[in-house]
Amino acid sequence: MELGFTIMRRYLFAAIVICVCCPLVQAHAETEPPIEQKVEQLLNKMSLAEKIGQTNLRGRSSRAKGPLPDSLKATVRAGNVGAFLNVMKPDERDELQRIAVEESRLGIPLLFGRDVIHGFKTIFPIPLGLAASWQPELAESGARVSAIEATELGVNWTFAPMMDIARDPRWGRIAESFGEDPVLTSAFSVAMVKGFQTDDLSNPTAMAATAKHLVGYGAAEGGRDYNTAMIPEGELRDVYLKPFKAAADAGVASMMTSFNELNGVPATGNKFVLTDILRGEWQYDGMVVSDWDSVIEMIAHGYAADKKQAAERAANAGLDMEMTSDTYELYLAELIKQGKVNDAQLDNLVRNILRMKFRLNLFDHPQRRKVEKSTILSAEHRQLAQQAAVQSAILLKNDGALPLTSQGKIALIGPLANAAHEQMGTWVFDGRAENNITMLDAMQQQLGKQNVLFADGLAYSRVKVQDGFAAAIEAAKRADRIVFVGGEESILSGEAHSRADISLPGAQEALIKELAKLNKPLILVVMAGRPITLGNIINDVDAVLFNFHPGTMAGPAISDLLLGKVSPSGRLPVTFPITAAQAPIYYNHKNTGRPANDKDYVPIDDIPVQAWQSSLGNDSHYLDIGFRPAYPFGYGLTYSTFDYSNLKLDKTSLNMDGKLHASATITNTGKREASEVVQLYIQDVVGDVTRPVRELKDWQKITLQPGQSQTVTFTLGTDQLAFHNISMQNVTEPGDFNLWIAPNAASGLQTSFKVIE
Ligand code: BGC
């Protein structure tokens, strides 16, 4: 936390400096016309071609060789480009910006976009890992660090945060999500927006954020990337759109449409979402960009016959800027001439783009900020990344093997133990392996080289051949304890990297089983981009510390946790299934008419041969694995234990517009200082449309000394109980509610209250 605060303090200092200079700022503000006026003045000067130019987002590969092509410079000079992505050489960016500002007719500066997802050079845990900390303030500080590093090199726009609700662990992009819960996801989304942008986009270290992907991308059928999403409107609004609304309210500069079709209409051409909801209901005035080629992909979707129709549908739906494909550039002028897109609509799109550029203060400061001394990968940034990694680790099992004592030798085995690149996780374009500290580096440094025997056993996570086993087993034989570090390589999650089998890939399970035969304490450390099913080996290991790819500082963070310098405090932001076949799986599901329960469940082996065909006793479960997940949402252990008692409500009946206070006493009943994530859930028992079995409403992460108790109090307002009813009104309905204060979504202290009219 300390570092997060240091960064925040600097931030405060900047605010004070601004305040001290307030009279100056004010005087300047008085002479400066407001942004809307500047937008209109500029728009009035623009030709049709220049307007269309602003809607073009062009790519330049970060691996592009040779000097900038003259044709590209000429396009910028002619005012035919509004933004670039992936121009990574700072001098190239400077040159393009100079041409735009000095040599194009109207001097409109360019946006330089980049996927700065979970760090720029200093890599933080993947977003799913950040969410496991249940500390949005860590995500905010991390995003601040990313913005400071990226703006130093001239990136002024990030395509993050991704706020897609993810209920399917097969989906590769679950890694980039904050998990399955809309309230948790909203909190992390807003935190990241604030971290990237600060409170004022014109701040030189502010980087415009992008809420993506609008909307429903995470609901891809079967967890297969890009697949169809069918989402009823109520659920769309209550679950999938919720984080976007929160981000819009927090002032996110832009949004990105998604690749998927939503209820039959591709998101990129979806007027209902882009215009009716976003501009109409939410009054959002930021900019909306497509995803990579998602405008022309409407042809493959079967929603546009050709590029021209794709442009027409996207423009009329309200898509401001087109990423990489060129349908606007080729056809907007003609569409306007033919009256298929009207001038006023084009003006609307361009207004949104110009407004964002003015908000970023690019007209006054188009070039990257000057720094006296680079802070990229500074000790402070790395320490913050380490802290985030520590807080994100989830202890799933511990039979007492953890924490490790420092005596004796440790065998460090497995494909992720010394894999500097793989520990960063998906969608990292600027982080480099050589800046990272692996578990091998960190453990040898902490315990001495002679005490940490290393043999990976498997060169990378997917390897099936077992010729490295002998050396690994040999190392394990010479040690007192074995730490197996496995999981997934970075490339096994993220975009287009869905998996049908989400167990440990390759021969990892086989190697773990061999190691287990040695009868020594065996600790499994996982680094992965999604939930992993561990059922095949869970009984072979004594402890499991699960990490969603932790980033640059994975080594020191995990070593500190294994050695007990700090107790694990991460909690699952997604449900872990027993098998991928349970997906989609999420805690806030509906009850069904035949809710699963232990009393009625008949396991497959107990069914008599030639049993009479009957559905009695058969509830909503699987014959072979029952109805529970492997680990519920919100779950996580630590090196201590906590007791929940004394659940109290200050009232049991609540007026509309009222508030209630719910409290419980949490006691650290173990022997170590540890943190607990105390979670507040409710259930609306009867609704105009059925409600989930539980819904997270709030949480607090607290740290207690051994024996210490704390009363945790939550304030719950009736507005938090609202949902979209059958007529799509957002309402809180009177009636009975259950309430839990709980350590996870499958347990806790329960009581009830009423909402009365
Ligand atoms: C991804 C986006 C990303 C864009 C630009 C697309 O493939 O879906 O999330 O921002 O590429 O790199």
Side-chain angles (χ1 to χ4, degrees):
M1 291 313 294
E2 247 316 289
L3 263 163
F5 287 137
T6 312
I7 286 185
M8 294 299 164
R9 263 203 304 266
R10 280 204 193 143
Y11 200 10
L12 255 182
F13 174 73
I16 292 166
V17 172
I18 290 167
C19 281
V20 170
C21 306
C22 253
L24 283 177
V25 174
Q26 231 174 338
H28 183 64
E30 272 160 24
T31 54
E32 278 279 306
I35 282 180
E36 284 317 299
Q37 208 172 313
K38 292 196 227 178
V39 168
E40 291 311 314
Q41 281 166 357
L42 184 52
L43 196 62
N44 284 334
K45 291 186 204 155
M46 292 172 81
S47 66
L48 178 62
E50 283 162 337
K51 287 179 187 173
I52 294 171
Q54 284 304 303
T55 68
N56 285 334
L57 169 58
R58 288 283 152 261
R60 166 144 172 97
S61 166
S62 40
R63 280 180 257 160
K65 297 230 168 29
L68 278 172
D70 285 341
S71 55
L72 195 65
K73 294 187 193 174
T75 318
V76 174
R77 197 172 289 119
N80 289 337
V81 184
F84 276 96
L85 82 160
N86 295 348
V87 181
M88 280 318 293
K89 292 183 193 141
D91 52 333
E92 289 189 351
R93 223 173 7 246
D94 292 349
E95 175 63 354
L96 288 170
Q97 191 69 299
R98 191 196 60 73
I99 295 172
V101 172
E102 292 175 11
E103 297 182 11
S104 74
R105 189 178 78 92
L106 293 170
I108 303 175
L110 297 161
L111 292 166
F112 290 102
R114 184 77 170 158
D115 285 305
V116 183
I117 307 295
H118 50 110
F120 184 63
K121 300 278 184 188
T122 307
I123 303 303
F124 284 74
I126 56 172
L128 195 56
L130 287 174
S133 74
W134 292 61
Q135 284 178 257
E137 65 276 16
L138 277 179
E140 181 173 346
S141 315
R144 195 78 290 276
V145 164
S146 307
I148 290 169
E149 292 191 350
T151 56
E152 186 182 318
L153 295 187
V155 175
N156 50 31
W157 183 24
T158 176
F159 302 127
M162 186 184 105
M163 49 194 74
D164 295 305
I165 297 295
R167 294 170 160 183
D168 195 323
R170 294 171 297 182
W171 188 47
R173 297 195 84 164
I174 196 171
E176 284 180 76
S177 82
F178 299 117
E180 72 194 34
D181 182 74
V183 174
L184 192 67
T185 297
S186 299
F188 274 86
S189 303
V190 167
M192 289 206 66
V193 168
K194 283 191 185 155
F196 285 134
Q197 298 191 166
T198 73
D199 287 335
D200 178 3
L201 264 182
S202 70
N203 183 330
T205 65
M207 174 163 64
T210 310
K212 73 183 188 186
H213 305 86
L214 195 65
V215 60
Y217 188 29
E221 282 178 359
R224 209 171 70 237
D225 209 2
Y226 314 121
N227 210 2
T228 304
M230 300 297 282
I231 309 174
E233 189 178 335
E235 191 163 312
L236 182 69
R237 290 174 179 277
D238 291 331
V239 178
Y240 290 88
L241 279 172
K242 208 172 188 133
F244 290 90
K245 174 70 165 70
D249 291 344
V252 69
S254 65
M255 298 209 188
M256 183 188 292
T257 62
S258 50
F259 287 126
N260 57 285
E261 66 160 75
L262 172 69
N263 304 334
V265 178
T268 298
N270 201 308
K271 187 162 182 288
F272 172 59
V273 174
L274 302 187
T275 298
D276 300 354
I277 295 182
L278 213 58
R279 307 298 183 186
E281 294 177 27
W282 298 359
Q283 299 285 298
Y284 180 66
D285 68 358
M287 194 253 272
V288 177
V289 63
S290 78
D291 203 345
W292 187 290
D293 276 357
S294 67
V295 177
I296 47 169
E297 286 177 12
M298 291 201 288
I299 301 171
H301 274 295
Y303 191 65
D306 50 24
K307 279 184 165 190
K308 186 174 167 190
Q309 197 184 14
E312 179 188 340
R313 293 217 170 209
N316 285 333
L319 179 85
D320 302 321
M321 187 180 269
E322 178 178 7
M323 187 192 288
T324 56
S325 55
D326 54 4
T327 73
Y328 278 13
E329 188 176 7
L330 295 177
Y331 296 106
L332 265 188
E334 196 180 323
L335 288 164
I336 286 176
K337 213 162 133 204
Q338 293 172 342
K340 291 188 171 165
V341 173
N342 65 41
D343 298 336
Q345 178 65 356
L346 177 63
D347 284 356
N348 282 338
L349 311 185
V350 178
R351 257 186 209 108
N352 295 328
I353 297 166
L354 297 179
R355 186 181 299 118
M356 174 163 156
K357 293 185 174 184
F358 278 112
R359 284 180 175 163
L360 271 169
N361 204 19
L362 287 183
F363 289 85
D364 291 336
H365 295 285
Q367 295 291 4
R368 68 187 140 129
R369 68 193 173 87
K370 300 271 171 290
V371 291
E372 270 177 28
K373 189 170 173 291
S374 172
T375 55
I376 288 176
L377 282 160
S378 68
E380 197 180 355
H381 290 185
R382 296 168 73 94
Q383 221 173 315
L384 195 53
Q386 180 171 337
Q387 194 194 337
V390 166
Q391 299 293 328
S392 301
I394 309 126
L395 185 65
L396 290 180
K397 173 178 178 175
N398 189 12
D399 288 349
L402 288 177
L404 295 169
T405 54
S406 51
Q407 289 98 47
K409 290 195 191 321
I410 289 176
L412 199 58
I413 314 286
L416 273 291
N418 193 32
H421 173 79
E422 309 305 347
Q423 71 189 38
M424 289 192 289
T426 186
W427 226 242
V428 169
F429 296 104
D430 300 287
R432 295 288 172 265
E434 64 265 24
N435 298 321
N436 303 340
I437 306 180
T438 68
M439 285 220 24
L440 179 63
D441 302 332
M443 293 205 78
Q444 287 194 334
Q445 209 243 325
Q446 297 216 21
L447 300 172
K449 266 197 166 156
Q450 68 289 0
N451 292 321
V452 183
L453 312 173
F454 171 68
D456 58 22
L458 293 160
Y460 54 97
S461 72
R462 284 165 290 158
V463 170
K464 293 194 185 77
V465 286
Q466 305 191 351
D467 48 9
F469 279 26
I473 292 164
E474 193 43 43
K477 279 186 180 159
R478 288 190 287 127
D480 306 287
R481 283 114 354 130
I482 309 163
V483 175
F484 182 93
V485 191
E488 294 178 312
E489 299 149 68
S490 297
I491 199 65
L492 296 190
S493 60
E495 185 177 346
H497 292 89
S498 296
R499 295 177 63 206
D501 171 358
I502 57 167
S503 60
L504 289 172
Q508 293 185 66
E509 290 185 350
L511 180 51
I512 291 170
K513 291 220 175 268
E514 288 303 317
L515 295 170
K517 289 182 189 159
L518 302 178
N519 281 323
K520 298 186 179 189
L522 174 55
I523 289 112
L524 171 62
V525 173
V526 182
M527 298 187 201
R530 58 161 59 75
I532 298 290
T533 50
L534 300 169
N536 292 340
I537 41 90
I538 196 74
N539 294 328
D540 297 307
V541 300
D542 300 292
V544 180
L545 186 67
F546 197 98
N547 305 266
F548 297 109
H549 290 121
T552 299
M553 301 301 280
I558 297 174
S559 306
D560 279 359
L561 289 159
L562 294 183
L563 294 168
K565 295 190 176 159
V566 42
S567 301
S569 66
R571 299 291 184 267
L572 295 179
V574 278
T575 306
F576 271 39
I578 296 167
T579 153
Q582 281 171 292
I585 183 164
Y586 48 100
Y587 83 94
N588 46 357
H589 58 81
K590 301 293 184 71
N591 209 19
T592 81
R594 293 190 179 191
N597 62 81
D598 286 313
K599 193 165 62 59
D600 293 341
Y601 173 52
V602 184
I604 194 163
D605 295 333
D606 296 355
I607 302 175
V609 178
Q610 295 193 2
W612 180 250
Q613 179 64 52
S614 153
S615 63
L616 287 181
N618 293 347
D619 296 318
S620 185
H621 57 233
Y622 296 102
L623 291 179
D624 43 3
I625 58 157
F627 52 92
R628 293 199 171 84
Y631 303 101
F633 175 85
Y635 179 84
L637 303 170
T638 183
Y639 296 154
S640 205
T641 45
F642 291 96
D643 176 65
Y644 283 59
S645 63
N646 211 12
L647 174 61
K648 280 192 193 142
L649 300 184
D650 68 340
K651 48 175 93 72
T652 50
S653 97
L654 187 60
N655 290 324
M656 277 302 170
D657 303 327
K659 284 196 186 320
L660 72 71
H661 298 283
S663 63
T665 305
I666 317 300
T667 305
N668 180 342
T669 49
K671 295 197 173 65
R672 282 172 174 266
E673 175 188 298
S675 300
E676 173 71 342
V677 178
V678 185
Q679 301 158 38
L680 175 74
Y681 295 93
I682 64 102
Q683 179 195 21
D684 186 345
V685 180
V686 178
D688 178 48
V689 294
T690 60
R691 309 304 308 139
V693 293
R694 277 199 196 198
E695 294 176 81
L696 180 77
K697 291 296 164 188
D698 204 354
W699 68 93
Q700 288 180 36
K701 192 167 184 175
I702 58 167
T703 302
L704 297 178
Q705 299 302 318
Q708 194 188 352
S709 291
Q710 185 178 326
T711 301
V712 172
T713 304
F714 295 101
T715 305
L716 183 70
T718 48
D719 54 330
Q720 288 168 276
L721 306 174
F723 64 94
H724 285 85
N725 66 10
I726 201 89
S727 326
M728 287 309 120
Q729 293 155 320
N730 194 36
V731 291
T732 301
E733 291 185 347
D736 292 326
F737 288 79
N738 289 321
L739 179 149
W740 294 259
I741 292 186
N744 58 61
S747 62
L749 303 175
Q750 183 183 348
T751 184
S752 57
F753 66 93
K754 261 184 202 314
V755 172
I756 49 177
E757 277 188 280

